[in-house]
Amino acid sequence: MEQRLANTWRMTVNEKKFIETALHSDLRIDGRRPFDYRELTVKFGREDGSSEVQLGLTHVMGFVSSQLVQPYRDRPNEGTLSVYTEFSPMADPSFEAGRPTESAVELGRVIDRGLRESRAVDTESLCVVSGKFVWSIRIDLHILDNGGNLVDAANIAALAALLTFRRPECSLGGEDGQEVIVHPPEVREPLPLIIHHLPVAVTFAFIGDENMVVIDPTHFEEGIMGGRLTATLNANGDLCAIQKAGGDGVMQSVIMQCLRIASVKAADITAKIRKAVDSYNTERALSKIRRQPASVAVQVTEPNQIEVKELISKHKEKLMLKSEEGGASHSDDMEIEAQSSEQDKSRRRDSTSKSFVGGPLSWDPYSKGVDFEELQASIASRVKVAPVEKLEKSRSDEPYKGESPKLLADSSTSLLSDEKAATGLQIEKEKTLKDAVKPKHKRKKKASTNTDAS
Amino acid sequence: MEIDRGDGRKPNQLRPVACSRGILNRAHGSASWSQGETKVLAAVYGPKAGTKKNENPEKACFEVIWKPKTGQIGKPEKECEMILKRTLQSICLLNVHPNTTTSIIIQVVNDDGGLLPCAINVACAALVDAGIPLKHLAVAICCSLAKNGRVLLDPNKSEEQNMKGFVYLAFPNSIQSVLPEGSLQVGGEPVEHGIITSVTHGAMSVDDYLLCLQRGRAACEKLSVFIRSSLK
């Protein structure tokens, strides 16, 4: 018992007075103003659904995983979402392993409430067989470093992980059509979760007696604060949850002011999260192409082999360089690649093509099939090259993400993927273009309904 | 007989290793170690006052907490904690800070094979970052025995599952040439060039095991050169 007391960290009276006095002149100990957030960095791990968030000195990791389970009896056609928070003893000397403390439980509950009750994650789309099989989404949040304001950081980590998570595709099969077959990611492209909006948590700390409010407290400020308010809102201005558990009494006007500031900050944070997720998705789409080279090289026969291998190694190098450099230099690399792929495509049009066995199966059946035929049609009739490519560009956005198309990134990825497929294509007749048109329209409508911007 | 490893490595080639220290702010020492796709994070707090109940108060005590990526802590995690604790106890100077507890927390970020060796390496790096006095470092490696008798170093998860057996080995960090050792299971008085830890999975013949030891020791020498340079 004594050892635990000896090891706890306590604020000294001097530190307390210093922070309070500085706040009187609107200064915080790390140089911020009362309503400034610390620097936020969102990074992603190798797998889908793993995120790492740094908010100033606070470090949180989020992992999302899914499992097929039986649904709750009273909600037979909804999936489930559960949030597990681990206050790792890594984060703070006062955190202990074992049973979660009150603050750990509170943090988990606040994040859970923000996601579940505001219906941010669409649980009905997680149902596979009503009453028997639904997807259960599990979010594990690991707090690595406690620099203050764990709720906000953990919330952002959960959102980022949910946005990049892909669940395996499954279909019904078996004799009675009741068996669920889960397709591994190599066979069928895993699907993203449907997320309607992003509830962002914004935390305020009330320090001292004169209604001094600060946003995003550091752990020093948390040590001396009298009360705390966490407001969860989304970028549309909807208030998802408020948590003010005890602490000092605060005037109504102060609370209203806090909420107004929170809605501004929430929009800001949502934009940052979306930007990070988008650049991750682009990188992911590019690395998907890199997955193909093994099968392509093996099946293509002599005349194309050397060209293919050259191109593959070139792409591999570029992709590896890119993954090292990170998002910043993306656009430059892609432009270079787009140009080189243009040349290669024209080269390949002249060579005789063999039948391509393995490729289409491992791609998303819809998109590649359509792009395939578009390309073949463009080969057959060179006159139509320019408009066809434009069509490809606009349509190819859908397979990778159902969001508003980003021109250069997506067009180049589609070009790259097309020419990989082109290495073994058969030249078909004009009519395939018309066949391709119908599915294209259908998919465009489906994709546009899915993109509920938030 | 050449073996085709999934990622194109030769049988004696290790995965690319990356090590960084001082990544966390609250912890007294922290480190991250990644070998290929396997990535582990460690934080060290200590020495803190007091020892645990059944520990010897005349020596320093270690507490290892292993946090898996997802899921509850179960028996495999407890086993890893115990192995790591005994390994670290044998490399640290226990008499410098008697009646204290040093906590090491390991967080698994990604598991792609060779998790325990990574954990041992990262724990040593974190202890160095925290300034805990050590006799020498423990350098750990995984050697696996393929079905056709070849020894492959540092397998990833898919390779591990197809192996006849594999062994996690930890050696002291020593650049001098190695004398024939007195081999030790965990704990005990460490001979300078001995094996600190050896954990095997799967069945293998004694000759194969000795071959693995040989390869492992050679690999650890290379690895210890890397560690020395990265810890400067």
Side-chain angles (χ1 to χ4, degrees), chain B residues 8 12 18 43 46 64 82 86 93 126 144 151 160 163 168 174-175 192 199 216:
Chain B
N12 285 344
V64 177
M82 181 214 69
R86 302 239 191 111
L93 292 165
S144 60
V151 172
E160 253 181 22
M163 291 288 147
Y168 298 134
S174 168
I175 304 189
E192 188 57 44
V199 184

Side-chain angles (χ1 to χ4, degrees), chain A residues 196-422:
Chain A
H196 299 298
H197 61 93
L198 296 179
V200 173
V202 179
T203 302
F204 298 87
F206 305 111
I207 298 179
D209 301 326
E210 296 92 11
N211 293 319
M212 285 192 290
V213 192
V214 292
I215 205 176
D216 190 20
T218 62
H219 72 277
F220 291 113
E221 288 161 350
E222 280 184 349
I224 64 165
M225 66 184 175
R228 175 217 291 267
L229 166 76
T230 301
T232 309
L233 342 95
N234 64 20
N236 301 338
D238 299 328
L239 189 61
C240 304
I242 297 189
Q243 174 93 350
K244 184 187 187 303
D248 288 351
V250 177
M251 295 205 302
Q252 219 179 343
S253 54
V254 176
I255 303 243
M256 296 310 294
Q257 186 200 16
C258 288
L259 291 178
R260 262 179 260 125
I261 295 172
S263 60
V264 174
K265 297 292 175 188
D268 199 24
I269 294 178
T270 311
K272 283 193 192 145
I273 299 177
R274 289 238 181 249
K275 198 167 111 185
V277 170
D278 287 341
S279 67
Y280 169 78
N281 281 337
T282 335
E283 240 191 90
R284 183 178 181 274
L286 285 171
S287 66
K288 261 199 295 188
I289 296 159
R290 188 161 42 126
R291 257 204 281 161
Q292 292 318 302
S295 54
V296 173
V298 166
Q299 279 142 6
V300 173
T301 51
E302 295 324 319
N304 294 335
Q305 210 167 11
I306 303 169
E307 290 178 2
V308 173
K309 277 195 179 146
E310 261 176 19
L311 195 64
I312 291 167
S313 52
K314 233 198 309 170
H315 280 300
K316 256 194 191 162
E317 280 168 10
K318 284 194 193 131
L319 287 167
M320 283 200 282
L321 280 172
K322 243 192 280 171
S323 52
E324 285 167 53
E325 285 165 45
S329 50
H330 253 137
S331 43
D332 304 326
D333 287 341
M334 276 187 250
E335 277 184 273
I336 301 169
E337 287 197 18
Q339 288 165 16
S340 69
S341 62
E342 287 288 343
Q343 298 168 359
D344 293 331
K345 237 208 292 202
S346 52
R347 250 195 298 156
R348 218 158 273 118
R349 278 181 200 145
D350 302 328
S351 59
T352 53
S353 30
K354 320 283 175 214
S355 59
F356 192 68
V357 182
L361 288 179
S362 23
W363 292 92
D364 183 340
Y366 301 108
S367 66
K368 282 317 125 207
V370 177
D371 285 344
F372 235 169
E373 282 140 14
E374 282 296 311
L375 194 54
Q376 290 154 20
S378 68
I379 287 172
S381 55
R382 286 216 203 159
V383 183
K384 295 187 190 168
V385 164
V388 164
E389 283 187 5
K390 279 193 199 129
L391 282 171
E392 280 182 16
K393 277 182 199 171
S394 56
R395 246 183 330 97
S396 66
D397 301 334
E398 275 99 78
Y400 294 115
K401 13 169 191 150
E403 291 176 15
S404 52
K406 269 203 233 117
L407 300 177
L408 193 59
D410 296 330
S411 61
S412 56
T413 53
S414 72
L415 288 172
L416 285 174
S417 58
D418 286 340
E419 74 168 331
K420 278 285 186 298

